[in-house]
Amino acid sequence: MQTRLDTTGNRRVDKLRIFSIQPDDTFAEYNQIPFQVDHEERVLEDWFEDNSDGILEDSDILIIGRQVSTDLGKKIDLLGLDRDGNVVVVELKRDRTPRDTIAQSLEYASFVERLDIGQLEEVLRSYTSDEVLGLAELHREYFRLDTSDAVAFNKDQRIVVVGQHITSEIKRTASFLRTKGIRITCVEFTFFQADGGNRLLSQEVVVGKEADKPVRAASASRPQTTEDEFLASLDENGRAVVSRILEWAGEKSVCVRWRSKGFSLNAECDGNLVGFLAVSDAGAYTLLRDAKYMRKTAVPEDVIQTLWRQAESTGLFVQAGKKLRCQINRKLTDTEVDSLLNWCESVEKAIQEYGLKP
C-alpha cells in the first residue's frame, strides 16, 4: 500500500493489490470484495475470537468473554487480556457514526476498569462454562509465563476498534486519545478473493503502532443452544455431518457440552472433561493447542503434533490461526466423515491414555 499526494495536495492511500504467482510464473490478482454487513456480527466475532492472536501487533489476546453485559445494559463484543494482564476491549465497528463508535468504546473501558480479578474470573467462567477455571493459571499457560512472572490484572485498559473501514474521524479521535494516555488501537481489514475461490484477509493497524513500553461485573451466561435448535440452523450438508458426529458421540459415550452456537466433544479423564473438538455452524475446529481446553491434559507435545498431522492428512482440515478448521458447508462423503470420527477417537484415546497433569 502506497501513500501519495493527489492533485490538491491531500494524502491519498492507493488501493492494496495482492497477487498469487501461478505455475507458469504469471501473476493472478486477488479481487477486493466487500464484507457482507448481514454476516458481519456473527462471522467477524467468530473469526477474531478464534484468531485473537492476530488482532494486535505487540501482544496476543486471551479472550475471556464474548457479548459481555455491562451495568448499562450494553454488550462488549469481545473481552480479553494481553500478556501484561491489561484488559482489552475489542469493539467491532458496524454501521455507527464515528462519534458513537468512540463513545461506546470509552464507555466499555470505563466499565471494565472497575472489575477486579474475581469479577474477571466470573466473566471467564461464564464464557467457558467452567466453574473451577482459574484466571491466573489460564493466563500463565496461554502466554507461557514462568511461575515467577508476576502479573497485575486490570492495571490498565486497552481498546481495539476493528472494522473494514476506519474513518478519518475515528483515526483522528483515536490518535488524540492516545496522546492523553488512553491505549486505543484501530485495525482495518480487507477481504480479497481469487478466481478459484480462495480468500485472503489483510489487516493493518492504522492507529496504535507502538513499541512495548511500561504500562502504568460479570459476563451474562452464554445461552446454550439445544440439539434440535442447532440442527435446524444448519443447511442440509451441515445437518448430515453434525448428526453423524452426535450419533458417534452417543455410541462412544463421548461427552457433548452444548454452547451458545454449537457444542464441544470432551474426553472424560479422572472425573474431568477435556475438550478436543468444537463444532459450530461455521465448521468444526480442533482444540489441541487451545490453552482453555488442553490446560489439564498431560498429552506430550510430540503426540499432539502427530494428531495435528493426522487431522491435516484427512484433507478436511485447514489451518485457522492456532487451530485447524474443518468446513462443513459442502456434502462430505461417508468416507470423509469416517476419517473425521476416527481422528476424534484417536484424540480421545490419547487424552485418556496420558491422563491429566499432576
Side-chain angles (χ1 to χ4, degrees):
M1 185 177 294
Q2 297 180 335
T3 302
R4 301 176 181 175
L5 295 180
D6 60 21
T7 55
T8 64
N10 294 322
R11 192 171 73 92
R12 176 172 62 86
V13 180
D14 290 347
K15 172 186 174 183
L16 179 68
R17 302 176 69 190
I18 294 180
F19 299 85
S20 63
I21 302 177
Q22 303 301 299
D24 60 356
D25 291 335
T26 60
F27 288 172
E29 184 170 4
Y30 279 76
N31 296 317
Q32 185 173 340
I33 56 176
F35 191 67
Q36 299 301 319
V37 175
D38 56 340
H39 292 163
E40 183 168 354
E41 181 173 355
R42 178 178 61 84
V43 176
L44 195 57
E45 280 186 17
D46 288 344
W47 283 353
F48 283 107
E49 180 183 28
D50 294 341
N51 300 278
S52 57
D53 54 327
I55 298 178
L56 291 176
E57 288 190 338
D58 63 334
S59 175
D60 289 352
I61 300 178
L62 167 62
I63 300 298
I64 64 170
R66 175 171 172 171
Q67 291 297 305
V68 178
S69 296
T70 72
D71 55 354
L72 295 178
K74 304 291 182 61
K75 291 186 181 295
I76 302 173
D77 291 326
L78 294 172
L79 192 68
L81 296 171
D82 68 9
R83 182 182 179 87
D84 296 322
N86 301 310
V87 176
V88 183
V89 171
V90 181
E91 175 67 5
L92 307 178
K93 178 185 173 294
R94 299 177 177 85
D95 293 333
R96 290 195 298 266
T97 67
R99 181 176 298 176
D100 289 341
T101 298
I102 293 294
Q104 194 157 82
S105 299
L106 292 172
E107 178 188 312
Y108 293 159
S110 69
F111 166 73
V112 300
E113 181 188 26
R114 303 192 301 273
L115 301 181
D116 58 28
I117 186 171
Q119 292 169 306
L120 291 173
E121 204 158 62
E122 289 179 14
V123 171
L124 172 67
R125 291 174 178 176
S126 296
Y127 172 66
T128 60
S129 298
D130 189 331
E131 296 301 324
V132 298
L133 183 57
L135 181 66
E137 175 191 0
L138 177 61
H139 181 271
R140 184 173 62 251
E141 292 186 3
Y142 185 85
F143 290 103
R144 299 181 180 179
L145 302 176
D146 294 330
T147 54
S148 59
D149 293 328
V151 176
F153 290 103
N154 206 13
K155 188 175 181 180
D156 197 5
Q157 298 75 44
R158 305 181 66 170
I159 299 171
V160 182
V161 178
V162 181
Q164 192 168 12
H165 174 62
I166 304 298
T167 66
S168 58
E169 294 91 344
I170 292 178
K171 293 176 185 177
R172 177 180 297 179
T173 304
S175 298
F176 171 76
L177 291 172
R178 289 179 61 81
T179 66
K180 302 303 178 182
I182 297 176
R183 303 183 69 187
I184 181 169
T185 301
C186 296
V187 180
E188 197 169 68
F189 65 89
T190 306
F191 288 99
F192 297 86
Q193 183 167 341
D195 291 339
N198 292 329
R199 294 181 300 168
L200 296 176
L201 182 146
S202 170
Q203 68 181 57
E204 180 185 11
V205 176
V206 294
V207 175
K209 294 179 180 178
E210 59 185 1
D212 291 337
K213 59 183 180 182
V215 298
R216 58 168 186 89
S219 174
S221 298
R222 304 173 80 184
Q224 294 181 348
T225 188
T226 65
E227 179 176 341
D228 290 341
E229 290 173 343
F230 184 59
L231 289 174
S233 70
L234 302 174
D235 61 20
E236 182 179 356
N237 296 327
R239 195 154 43 243
V241 176
V242 170
S243 295
R244 284 283 307 279
I245 294 174
L246 292 173
E247 289 174 6
W248 173 84
E251 293 170 358
K252 300 294 183 179
S253 298
V254 174
C255 178
V256 175
R257 297 187 70 175
W258 288 97
R259 307 163 70 189
S260 60
K261 295 186 178 180
F263 61 90
S264 62
L265 298 181
N266 303 264
E268 186 171 355
C269 190
D270 298 332
N272 292 272
L273 295 177
V274 180
F276 59 85
L277 188 78
V279 180
S280 70
D281 54 2
Y285 58 89
T286 66
L287 300 175
L288 289 177
R289 299 186 183 278
D290 194 317
K292 290 182 292 187
Y293 294 91
M294 297 299 288
R295 69 192 184 282
K296 303 174 183 177
T297 180
V299 178
E301 179 62 28
D302 61 331
V303 175
I304 291 178
Q305 291 178 355
T306 298
L307 292 169
W308 187 280
R309 290 193 295 270
Q310 289 176 355
E312 291 179 318
S313 69
T314 65
L316 300 174
F317 288 90
V318 295
Q319 189 153 357
K322 294 183 178 180
K323 301 180 178 68
L324 293 173
R325 183 181 293 276
C326 172
Q327 299 288 350
I328 56 175
N329 56 359
R330 66 175 178 86
K331 184 176 181 180
L332 300 185
T333 66
D334 289 341
T335 300
E336 287 177 320
V337 177
D338 287 342
S339 65
L340 172 61
L341 298 179
N342 289 337
W343 177 83
C344 288
E345 189 166 352
S346 297
V347 178
E348 185 201 18
K349 287 181 178 178
I351 295 172
Q352 292 178 338
E353 176 183 353
Y354 289 98
L356 305 179
K357 291 178 180 178

